Amino acid sequence: MSKPGRLSIGIVGAGRVGAVLGAALRQAEHEIVGATGVSEETLARIDALLPGVPVMDPEAVVRAADVVLLTVPDDSVAAVAAGLASLGAWRGGQIAIHTSGRLGTEALADAAARGVLPLAIHPAMTFTGTSLDLTRMTGAAFAVSGAAPLLPIAQALAVEMGGEPFVLDDRDRPAYHAALVHGANHVVTALSQAGGLLARIGVEEPARVLGPLVHASVDGALGDAPGAVTTLTGPVVRGDAGTVAAHVHALAGHDEMLFAYRAMARATADLALSGGRIGPAQYADIIAALGAD
């Protein structure tokens, strides 16, 4: 006998996120009635994570499901929802969920106009599109947005997928997503640049050199109160303008890294000044040492 309240769920866009979320909901004994996929990679992912689930076109998936996961790229969410509305695929009382971090439920306006209940659920994690993600979702934060009467549905689904939901206003989702991208994706960019520079000067294992520093810095920053600078280290917070000038000179010819270094060093100087780690004179020296872009 199945659990009460089990839902029939369709997945429009069984990419890395959609297939994994579908597998998690299937583990919670919901029925996955169909998924869309065209590329060989997507079809293989469906076969691996959702064995036995029929591959259908988007209209058929929506018509078959009580809950539709619209796990398509951010810029396609509204267009796909509108296209399905023009086909008459949506029906009143269905639940439509997109997983964009940036978009609120307004992206599902064309579905909502047909009586669909719109929700936004964003897992704050990266996805590999493999079964490893099912374990990694345990305890992950899930940003949920929607009308107040619908939030318990989003929260319950997030919990069933192993996540820890928190409510986020639609208006705050762009800022929320920008924070995640800046704090995570841009770190990867910085590490890639740093590792590349170390490799160019002959360091054979850049990750071994960077690893302890990066882990300590990230752990310290995450342990700080928001906006605090107690764990911030380096030449900027020491007011060491000579070292900063030497860095700028050494990065000449590495234009992309130099641009990023200057931008982040200025932001670090602003943070250090506002947090009382350096004074106005030291701040001015650091800015001068960074030079013009």
Side-chain angles (χ1 to χ4, degrees):
M1 180 179 294
S2 64
K3 294 180 182 179
R6 298 305 87 184
L7 301 166
S8 62
I9 296 174
I11 304 169
V12 176
R16 293 185 180 187
V17 177
V20 170
L21 297 187
L25 290 167
R26 198 183 207 187
Q27 286 184 349
E29 299 185 23
H30 295 289
E31 181 187 8
I32 310 301
V33 295
T36 69
V38 177
S39 70
E40 290 185 9
E41 181 183 2
T42 300
L43 295 174
R45 188 179 295 115
I46 293 171
D47 188 55
L49 290 172
L50 301 167
V53 170
V55 177
M56 304 158 67
D57 65 59
E59 181 181 356
V61 168
V62 173
R63 291 188 184 279
D66 297 322
V67 177
V68 178
L69 291 182
L70 211 59
T71 44
V72 296
D74 290 8
D75 290 348
S76 300
V77 172
V80 172
L84 290 164
S86 70
L87 294 171
W90 298 110
R91 65 179 183 276
Q94 275 181 306
I95 298 170
I97 301 170
H98 76 67
T99 56
S100 165
R102 171 176 65 91
L103 300 173
T105 54
E106 76 285 344
L108 301 171
D110 287 278
R114 271 69 174 177
V116 173
L117 310 177
L119 291 169
I121 301 178
H122 178 256
M125 57 175 278
T126 57
F127 284 81
T128 64
T130 69
S131 59
L132 294 174
D133 296 334
L134 295 171
T135 301
R136 294 174 60 242
M137 276 200 297
T138 301
F142 279 54
V144 300
S145 303
L150 302 180
L151 285 175
I153 299 172
Q155 291 167 317
L157 290 172
V159 169
E160 286 190 316
M161 289 186 280
E164 296 185 4
F166 67 97
V167 176
L168 187 65
D169 191 281
D170 273 350
R171 294 170 298 180
D172 293 327
R173 290 182 76 90
Y176 153 80
H177 197 237
L180 296 191
V181 169
H182 190 53
N185 300 150
H186 292 175
V187 168
V188 175
T189 302
L191 287 175
S192 176
Q193 291 177 335
L197 181 57
L198 289 174
R200 284 194 291 273
I201 62 173
V203 177
E204 293 184 358
E205 298 181 59
R208 185 171 63 85
V209 176
L210 289 168
L213 286 171
V214 171
H215 287 298
S217 296
V218 170
D219 289 344
L222 292 175
D224 250 344
V229 294
T230 57
T231 59
L232 194 59
T233 64
V236 170
V237 296
R238 293 193 297 267
D240 193 347
T243 297
V244 171
H247 291 171
V248 170
H249 179 74
L251 292 175
H254 304 282
D255 292 347
E256 288 185 3
M257 188 171 176
L258 178 57
F259 180 83
Y261 180 94
R262 280 173 162 154
M264 291 307 300
R266 288 190 185 106
T268 302
D270 291 343
L271 191 61
L273 178 64
S274 65
R277 296 289 300 274
I278 59 175
Q282 291 173 306
Y283 176 84
D285 288 343
I286 294 292
I287 298 302
L290 288 169
D293 289 335

Short mmCIF file of all heavy atoms in Angstrom, two decimals, residues 1-29:
data_model
loop_
_atom_site.label_atom_id
_atom_site.label_comp_id
_atom_site.label_asym_id
_atom_site.label_seq_id
_atom_site.Cartn_x
_atom_site.Cartn_y
_atom_site.Cartn_z
N MET A 1 0.85 -1.19 0.00
CA MET A 1 0.00 0.00 0.00
C MET A 1 0.89 1.24 0.00
O MET A 1 1.83 1.34 0.77
CB MET A 1 -0.90 0.01 1.24
CG MET A 1 -1.83 1.23 1.30
SD MET A 1 -2.90 1.20 2.76
CE MET A 1 -3.90 -0.24 2.37
N SER A 2 0.59 2.18 -0.89
CA SER A 2 1.39 3.39 -0.96
C SER A 2 1.02 4.34 0.17
O SER A 2 -0.05 4.25 0.76
CB SER A 2 1.18 4.09 -2.31
OG SER A 2 -0.15 4.52 -2.43
N LYS A 3 1.95 5.25 0.46
CA LYS A 3 1.69 6.25 1.49
C LYS A 3 0.55 7.17 1.06
O LYS A 3 0.35 7.39 -0.13
CB LYS A 3 2.96 7.09 1.72
CG LYS A 3 4.13 6.36 2.30
CD LYS A 3 5.30 7.34 2.46
CE LYS A 3 6.54 6.64 3.00
NZ LYS A 3 7.68 7.59 3.13
N PRO A 4 -0.19 7.72 2.02
CA PRO A 4 -1.21 8.70 1.64
C PRO A 4 -0.56 9.97 1.09
O PRO A 4 0.56 10.32 1.47
CB PRO A 4 -1.94 8.98 2.96
CG PRO A 4 -0.96 8.61 4.02
CD PRO A 4 -0.17 7.46 3.46
N GLY A 5 -1.28 10.62 0.21
CA GLY A 5 -0.78 11.89 -0.33
C GLY A 5 0.27 11.74 -1.39
O GLY A 5 0.97 12.71 -1.71
N ARG A 6 0.42 10.52 -1.95
CA ARG A 6 1.41 10.35 -3.01
C ARG A 6 0.90 11.02 -4.29
O ARG A 6 -0.29 10.99 -4.59
CB ARG A 6 1.70 8.89 -3.27
CG ARG A 6 2.30 8.12 -2.10
CD ARG A 6 3.56 8.75 -1.55
NE ARG A 6 3.29 9.77 -0.54
CZ ARG A 6 4.21 10.52 0.04
NH1 ARG A 6 5.47 10.40 -0.31
NH2 ARG A 6 3.89 11.40 0.96
N LEU A 7 1.79 11.59 -5.05
CA LEU A 7 1.44 12.40 -6.22
C LEU A 7 1.98 11.78 -7.50
O LEU A 7 3.01 11.08 -7.49
CB LEU A 7 2.00 13.81 -6.06
CG LEU A 7 1.53 14.59 -4.83
CD1 LEU A 7 2.43 15.81 -4.61
CD2 LEU A 7 0.09 15.02 -4.99
N SER A 8 1.32 12.08 -8.60
CA SER A 8 1.86 11.72 -9.90
C SER A 8 2.66 12.92 -10.40
O SER A 8 2.13 14.03 -10.48
CB SER A 8 0.75 11.35 -10.88
OG SER A 8 -0.12 12.45 -11.10
N ILE A 9 3.92 12.69 -10.71
CA ILE A 9 4.85 13.78 -11.01
C ILE A 9 5.43 13.60 -12.40
O ILE A 9 5.87 12.50 -12.77
CB ILE A 9 5.98 13.83 -9.96
CG1 ILE A 9 5.39 14.15 -8.57
CG2 ILE A 9 7.05 14.84 -10.35
CD1 ILE A 9 6.38 14.09 -7.45
N GLY A 10 5.42 14.67 -13.17
CA GLY A 10 6.04 14.68 -14.48
C GLY A 10 7.22 15.63 -14.51
O GLY A 10 7.23 16.64 -13.80
N ILE A 11 8.20 15.31 -15.32
CA ILE A 11 9.43 16.11 -15.39
C ILE A 11 9.60 16.64 -16.80
O ILE A 11 9.81 15.87 -17.74
CB ILE A 11 10.66 15.27 -14.98
CG1 ILE A 11 10.47 14.67 -13.59
CG2 ILE A 11 11.92 16.13 -15.03
CD1 ILE A 11 11.50 13.62 -13.24
N VAL A 12 9.51 17.94 -16.95
CA VAL A 12 9.77 18.59 -18.22
C VAL A 12 11.19 19.14 -18.17
O VAL A 12 11.46 20.16 -17.53
CB VAL A 12 8.76 19.72 -18.50
CG1 VAL A 12 9.12 20.44 -19.80
CG2 VAL A 12 7.35 19.16 -18.58
N GLY A 13 12.11 18.41 -18.78
CA GLY A 13 13.52 18.78 -18.74
C GLY A 13 14.27 17.91 -17.76
O GLY A 13 14.62 18.35 -16.67
N ALA A 14 14.52 16.64 -18.15
CA ALA A 14 15.20 15.71 -17.23
C ALA A 14 16.71 15.84 -17.35
O ALA A 14 17.42 14.88 -17.66
CB ALA A 14 14.75 14.28 -17.52
N GLY A 15 17.20 17.06 -17.09
CA GLY A 15 18.64 17.29 -17.06
C GLY A 15 19.21 16.86 -15.73
O GLY A 15 18.64 16.05 -15.02
N ARG A 16 20.35 17.44 -15.39
CA ARG A 16 21.02 17.03 -14.14
C ARG A 16 20.14 17.24 -12.93
O ARG A 16 20.09 16.41 -12.02
CB ARG A 16 22.33 17.82 -13.98
CG ARG A 16 23.38 17.49 -15.00
CD ARG A 16 24.68 18.22 -14.70
NE ARG A 16 25.71 17.92 -15.68
CZ ARG A 16 26.97 18.31 -15.58
NH1 ARG A 16 27.35 19.04 -14.54
NH2 ARG A 16 27.85 18.00 -16.51
N VAL A 17 19.43 18.38 -12.90
CA VAL A 17 18.59 18.68 -11.74
C VAL A 17 17.30 17.89 -11.79
O VAL A 17 16.92 17.22 -10.82
CB VAL A 17 18.29 20.19 -11.67
CG1 VAL A 17 17.35 20.49 -10.51
CG2 VAL A 17 19.59 20.98 -11.52
N GLY A 18 16.60 17.93 -12.91
CA GLY A 18 15.29 17.30 -13.00
C GLY A 18 15.32 15.82 -12.74
O GLY A 18 14.46 15.29 -12.01
N ALA A 19 16.27 15.12 -13.32
CA ALA A 19 16.34 13.67 -13.14
C ALA A 19 16.64 13.31 -11.69
O ALA A 19 16.07 12.36 -11.14
CB ALA A 19 17.39 13.07 -14.07
N VAL A 20 17.52 14.07 -11.06
CA VAL A 20 17.88 13.77 -9.66
C VAL A 20 16.70 14.06 -8.73
O VAL A 20 16.38 13.25 -7.85
CB VAL A 20 19.13 14.58 -9.24
CG1 VAL A 20 19.36 14.47 -7.74
CG2 VAL A 20 20.36 14.09 -9.99
N LEU A 21 16.04 15.20 -8.92
CA LEU A 21 14.89 15.51 -8.08
C LEU A 21 13.78 14.48 -8.29
O LEU A 21 13.11 14.07 -7.33
CB LEU A 21 14.37 16.92 -8.37
CG LEU A 21 15.32 18.08 -8.07
CD1 LEU A 21 14.59 19.41 -8.23
CD2 LEU A 21 15.91 17.98 -6.67
N GLY A 22 13.60 14.07 -9.53
CA GLY A 22 12.62 13.03 -9.81
C GLY A 22 12.95 11.73 -9.09
O GLY A 22 12.07 11.07 -8.52
N ALA A 23 14.23 11.36 -9.10
CA ALA A 23 14.65 10.14 -8.41
C ALA A 23 14.42 10.26 -6.90
O ALA A 23 14.00 9.30 -6.25
CB ALA A 23 16.12 9.85 -8.71
N ALA A 24 14.69 11.45 -6.35
CA ALA A 24 14.47 11.65 -4.91
C ALA A 24 12.99 11.54 -4.56
O ALA A 24 12.62 10.95 -3.54
CB ALA A 24 15.02 13.01 -4.49
N LEU A 25 12.14 12.12 -5.39
CA LEU A 25 10.71 12.05 -5.13
C LEU A 25 10.18 10.62 -5.33
O LEU A 25 9.25 10.19 -4.65
CB LEU A 25 9.97 13.03 -6.04
CG LEU A 25 10.21 14.50 -5.68
CD1 LEU A 25 9.72 15.42 -6.79
CD2 LEU A 25 9.53 14.85 -4.36
N ARG A 26 10.79 9.91 -6.26
CA ARG A 26 10.41 8.50 -6.44
C ARG A 26 10.77 7.69 -5.21
O ARG A 26 10.02 6.81 -4.80
CB ARG A 26 11.12 7.95 -7.68
CG ARG A 26 10.51 6.68 -8.24
CD ARG A 26 11.32 6.17 -9.42
NE ARG A 26 10.50 5.40 -10.32
CZ ARG A 26 10.98 4.73 -11.36
NH1 ARG A 26 12.28 4.76 -11.62
NH2 ARG A 26 10.18 4.04 -12.15
N GLN A 27 11.92 7.98 -4.62
CA GLN A 27 12.30 7.29 -3.38
C GLN A 27 11.31 7.57 -2.26
O GLN A 27 11.14 6.74 -1.36
CB GLN A 27 13.70 7.73 -2.94
CG GLN A 27 14.83 7.15 -3.78
CD GLN A 27 16.20 7.53 -3.25
OE1 GLN A 27 16.34 8.39 -2.38
NE2 GLN A 27 17.24 6.89 -3.77
N ALA A 28 10.66 8.73 -2.32
CA ALA A 28 9.63 9.07 -1.33
C ALA A 28 8.27 8.49 -1.71
O ALA A 28 7.26 8.84 -1.10
CB ALA A 28 9.53 10.60 -1.20
N GLU A 29 8.27 7.62 -2.72
CA GLU A 29 7.10 6.85 -3.15
C GLU A 29 6.08 7.65 -3.95
O GLU A 29 4.92 7.25 -4.07
CB GLU A 29 6.43 6.13 -1.97
CG GLU A 29 7.34 5.14 -1.28
CD GLU A 29 6.64 4.35 -0.19
OE1 GLU A 29 5.40 4.23 -0.23
OE2 GLU A 29 7.35 3.86 0.70
#
